[in-house]
Amino acid sequence: MDTSGPRVGDDMTVEVALSVMAGARVEYLVLCDGDDQSTGSVTLAELVAHRGSSTYTDRTRLRDVLDGPFVSHGRTPGVLALSG
């Protein structure tokens, strides 16, 4: 897993994460837990796709996305991937 990108807490909301990504002009964020340990990463495309899902609310946190239907099997745990 590439951990060189901007690091954010996994308790950040999807909306705030999208704003951070736009401001930093990056395509992904490295997610960290309360101990500042990397727990995964999320891409702009993955967040946009999740935001368009029927389960999305403006209170959805990044950690909720990691546990959701976009988690890929066969990749590093906590790293999201879109299928299709």
Side-chain angles (χ1 to χ4, degrees), residues 68-76 79 81:
F70 293 101
V71 176
S72 157
H73 298 288
R75 290 183 67 189
T76 305
V79 177

Side-chain angles (χ1 to χ4, degrees), residues 4-26:
S4 62
R7 299 168 63 88
V8 299
D10 61 3
D11 61 341
M12 180 179 284
T13 66
V14 170
E15 288 300 316
V16 172
L18 289 167
S19 293
V20 168
M21 293 172 104
R25 295 185 177 151
V26 296

Side-chain angles (χ1 to χ4, degrees), residues 21-38:
M21 293 172 104
R25 295 185 177 151
V26 296
E27 293 293 317
Y28 73 97
L29 297 171
V30 175
L31 306 180
C32 300
D33 61 16
D35 296 324
D36 200 34
Q37 298 296 311
S38 295

